[in-house]
């Protein structure tokens, strides 16, 4: 632990200036892999579902105490490297920056990897501070638990010490990317798991890829990958919510890392990456390029010194020192709640609507796995955070009938602006296109409630967009 230089002049966190073009340059500090920080050679710890984790009261109390200690340190001195705040601010520094900044870790193929490294470093800090050598950061299985788990919600606990305007309703199926009635997506539990390719080679592929596009790329195109849009963004907005006063921590990339549930949310996404990689054909699509594999992520350790996590460690969780307790989407025995019926009047009014004709299906589809994609073009960034479902129904259906949700999108804050990497949104509409072939359907964009109680009615200004249309996409990219 002490085999690196202690030069007081480098005790502050490395400034953003030291990351040049995505390459890490650390002056005067040894480049150390995370493995050298305390668990090397030991058996990996098991990351647990928070519900199982919390069954051991001592284990939970140690976790809470360590987070409390870190928060107390930050309250006394916001620069204390053992504090919670400097750790939280890493997310601000790498994620709440322009979309095309070389250090931006969203909208590109390091999204999952960087967040994995970030959770791991945070987990190591808690392990060191709590003295609980078996500690692993528990994850929140929101497919099964549609409310903030009790351990993260108990008032007075450090684990609930965050700004949250969470609505009482709980997450709906589409916010956690679950489409039980869709024959293709339903069985996956999380529809994003159906995606077959990790790396996007063109800007148009980013939205249907599991991992995203290279950064930097010659197109200058950055966008949410499939998992990053939904459920990732939706769960952020659900937890953080908004109020008349502003947004919750999780709703803004600048503050998201302050909420202890951030690492439990990303833990579940990280676990889903492992679920996805169980298929060797999917895993094989992770880029073999040196550009992807030789990258090293830089964080700051509790002694204030830089710590590097190389991609070679990131791609094997046992090298980072953990495995998951299970790789089932739903907790065994819990297949997710059956969503109660919703009517249009139970949701905020639509922010967009268009009636379109569904193309007739060819007599015999040349490729059974061909997908129909609803494309919404030229969508302007909303003026406030929101999570929106895309509902479809026959054009002549009664007004209070919501129809069927085919997907969601979320607008989060990133400092003073709305994070809005791309103006095109796409949704798989295959099942509905089959059902309504040749007919007129109405597509409606209907927000979820994300405003905490007591902050007035939820009405959003209409979203400005170009047009909605249905295009055909081959099956080569995803969905099988
Ligand atoms: Cu870097 Cu969920 O955010």
């Amino acid at each position: 632990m002490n085999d690196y230089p202690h030069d007081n002049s480098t005790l502050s966190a490395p400034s953003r200036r030291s990351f040049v073009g995505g390459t890490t340059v650390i002056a005067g500090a040894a480049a150390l892999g995370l493995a050298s920080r305390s668990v090397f050679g030991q058996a990996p710890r098991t990351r647990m579902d928070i519900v199982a984790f919390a069954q051991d009261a001592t284990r939970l109390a140690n976790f809470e105490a360590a987070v409390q200690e870190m928060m107390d340190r930050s309250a006394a001195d916001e620069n204390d490297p053992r504090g919670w705040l400097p750790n939280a601010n890493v997310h601000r520094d790498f994620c709440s920056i322009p979309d095309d900044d070389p250090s931006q870790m969203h909208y590109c193929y390091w999204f999952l990897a960087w967040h994995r490294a970030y959770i791991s470093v945070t987990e190591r800090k808690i392990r060191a501070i709590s003295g609980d050598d078996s500690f692993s950061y528990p994850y929140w299985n929101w497919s099964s638990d549609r409310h903030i788990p009790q351990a993260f919600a108990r008032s007075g606990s450090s684990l609930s010490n965050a700004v949250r305007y969470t609505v009482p309703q709980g997450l709906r199926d589409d916010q956690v990317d679950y489409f039980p009635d869709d024959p293709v997506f339903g069985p996956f539990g999380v529809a994003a798991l159906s995606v077959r390719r990790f790396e996007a080679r063109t800007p148009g592929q980013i939205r249907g890829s599991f991992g995203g596009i290279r950064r930097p790329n010659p197109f200058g195109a950055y966008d949410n990958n499939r998992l990053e849009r939904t459920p990732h963004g939706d769960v952020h907005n659900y937890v953080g919510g908004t109020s008349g006063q502003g947004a919750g921590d999780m709703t803004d990339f600048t503050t998201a890392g302050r909420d202890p549930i951030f690492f439990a949310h990303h833990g579940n996404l990280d676990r889903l990456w492992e679920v996805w990689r169980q298929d060797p054909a999917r895993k094989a699509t992770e880029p073999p390029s040196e550009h992807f594999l030789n990258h090293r992520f830089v964080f700051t350790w509790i002694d204030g010194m830089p710590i590097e996590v190389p991609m070679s460690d990131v791609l094997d969780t046992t090298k980072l020192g953990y495995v998951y307790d299970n790789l089932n989407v739903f907790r065994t025995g819990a297949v997710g709640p059956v969503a109660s019926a919703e009517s249009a009047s139970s949701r905020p009014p639509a922010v967009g609507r268009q009636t379109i004709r569904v193309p007739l299906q060819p007599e015999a589809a040349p490729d059974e796995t061909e997908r129909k994609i609803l494309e919404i073009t030229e969508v302007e960034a909303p003026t406030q955070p929101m999570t929106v479902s895309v509902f479809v129904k026959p054009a002549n259906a009664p007004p209070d009938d919501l129809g069927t949700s085919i997907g969601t999108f979320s607008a989060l804050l990133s400092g003073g602006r709305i994070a809005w990497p791309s103006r095109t949104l796409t949704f798989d509409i295959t099942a509905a296109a089959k059902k309504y072939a040749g007919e007129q359907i109405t597509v409606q964009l209907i927000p979820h409630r994300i405003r905490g109680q007591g902050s007035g009615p939820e009405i959003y200004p209409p979203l400005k967009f170009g047009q909605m249309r249905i295009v055909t996409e081959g099956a080569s990219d995803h969905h099988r």
Side-chain angles (χ1 to χ4, degrees):
M1 286 283 290
N2 288 317
D3 54 350
Y4 38 83
H6 276 278
D7 170 357
N8 283 330
S9 65
T10 62
L11 277 176
S12 57
S15 82
R16 291 238 354 267
R17 293 281 158 261
S18 57
F19 307 102
V20 180
T23 308
T24 305
V25 183
I26 304 175
L32 292 175
L34 195 56
S36 59
R37 304 277 177 141
S38 93
V39 294
F40 190 67
Q42 297 182 21
R45 280 74 163 160
T46 301
R47 267 197 203 159
M48 303 171 79
D49 183 324
I50 181 61
V51 174
F53 182 101
Q55 276 163 14
D56 182 329
T58 312
R59 178 166 58 206
L60 179 62
N62 285 339
F63 177 26
E64 290 177 311
V67 173
Q68 187 63 55
E69 180 187 332
M70 294 173 81
M71 289 175 169
D72 289 347
R73 283 178 178 274
S74 289
D77 172 5
E78 61 177 38
N79 295 315
D80 185 336
R82 291 174 78 91
W84 186 253
L85 197 59
N87 191 70
N89 286 345
V90 175
H91 195 265
R92 177 196 66 192
D93 296 346
F94 287 90
C95 300
S96 189
I97 54 179
D99 302 351
D100 59 354
D101 188 302
S103 296
Q104 170 61 268
M105 287 292 128
H106 284 234
Y107 322 129
C108 72
Y109 67 14
W110 287 311
F111 169 74
L112 287 166
W114 182 85
H115 287 81
R116 169 173 286 186
Y118 183 31
I119 303 167
S120 232
V121 170
T122 307
E123 171 176 273
R124 300 285 181 111
K125 289 180 178 177
I126 293 171
R127 194 177 289 159
I129 288 167
S130 68
D132 176 0
D133 191 53
S134 67
F135 177 79
S136 266
Y137 214 107
Y139 63 88
W140 168 21
N141 183 335
W142 26 248
S143 292
S144 291
D145 297 326
R146 302 297 179 83
H147 291 89
I148 294 180
Q150 229 262 310
F152 283 101
R154 212 167 46 81
S155 99
S157 166
S158 58
L159 304 182
S160 71
N161 184 8
V163 181
R164 292 179 188 158
Y165 303 107
T166 319
V167 292
Q169 284 92 332
L171 290 156
R172 315 269 332 173
D173 284 345
D174 62 354
Q175 288 169 294
V176 293
D177 206 22
Y178 182 41
F179 300 93
D181 300 329
D182 187 295
V184 173
F185 298 132
F188 283 97
V190 170
L193 292 170
S194 67
V195 167
R196 296 166 72 208
R197 174 156 54 195
F198 190 90
E199 184 181 5
R201 301 257 162 69
T202 63
Q205 288 175 355
I206 308 175
R207 297 179 286 272
S209 73
F210 198 77
I213 197 163
R214 176 188 165 122
R215 176 184 295 281
N217 66 70
F219 313 99
Y222 303 96
D223 197 358
N224 285 312
N225 70 42
R226 181 59 187 77
L227 190 72
E228 190 176 4
R229 188 192 76 197
T230 315
H232 167 252
D234 296 39
V235 174
H236 268 276
N237 272 355
Y238 167 71
V239 174
T242 61
S243 79
Q245 280 71 55
D249 286 343
M250 281 281 277
T251 305
D252 189 334
F253 287 139
T254 313
T255 49
R258 295 182 191 176
D259 191 330
I261 210 169
F262 172 94
F263 304 95
H265 170 34
H266 271 274
N268 200 44
L269 296 166
D270 186 65
R271 192 178 71 96
L272 291 174
W273 186 13
E274 288 303 296
V275 173
W276 187 83
R277 302 174 100 209
Q278 282 179 292
D279 173 5
R282 282 170 164 75
K283 186 168 192 261
T285 65
E286 291 175 5
S289 67
E290 291 195 358
H291 183 261
F292 182 68
L293 296 174
N294 289 352
H295 203 72
R296 305 168 80 84
F297 305 119
V298 182
F299 298 89
T300 305
W301 188 240
I302 51 176
D303 55 6
M305 297 297 293
I307 181 171
E308 280 195 356
V309 185
M311 276 295 286
S312 52
D313 284 358
V314 169
L315 292 174
D316 178 353
T317 70
T318 65
K319 287 194 186 158
L320 287 184
Y322 71 91
V323 290
Y324 284 104
D325 57 356
N326 78 78
L327 295 178
N328 304 315
V329 171
F330 293 106
R331 184 182 310 126
T332 315
V335 187
V338 178
S340 53
E342 279 187 294
S343 68
S345 53
S346 66
R347 297 276 291 260
V351 292
R353 178 183 286 118
Q354 192 174 311
T355 296
I356 55 175
R357 182 174 292 283
V358 180
L360 275 172
Q361 308 276 1
E363 273 301 301
D367 180 352
E368 273 302 327
T369 56
E370 188 179 89
R371 310 294 297 172
K372 296 287 182 203
I373 305 295
L374 173 74
E375 209 172 70
I376 311 177
T377 64
E378 300 298 312
V379 190
E380 282 182 25
T383 50
Q384 55 186 292
M386 57 169 84
T387 292
V388 177
S389 297
V390 181
F391 277 98
V392 297
K393 62 176 182 179
N396 57 9
D400 198 51
D401 179 359
L402 275 172
T404 310
S405 170
I406 58 166
T408 71
F409 60 93
S410 281
L412 277 76
L413 281 167
S414 183
R417 66 187 179 101
I418 290 282
W420 201 249
S422 159
R423 288 159 65 88
T424 307
L425 294 167
T426 57
F427 303 87
D428 193 299
I429 196 174
T430 308
K434 210 166 259 167
K435 192 164 160 194
Y436 301 119
E439 292 174 35
Q440 298 269 85
I441 57 165
T442 300
V443 180
Q444 296 195 90
L445 308 181
I446 300 184
H448 283 267
R449 294 188 186 282
I450 63 163
R451 256 179 179 243
Q453 270 172 323
S455 42
E458 226 163 321
I459 296 174
Y460 297 95
L463 210 57
K464 297 198 182 92
F465 61 91
Q467 58 164 329
M468 297 185 184
R469 59 178 180 224
I470 297 175
V471 298
T472 301
E473 200 170 86
S476 54
D477 295 346
H478 41 126
H479 319 302
R480 201 184 270 172

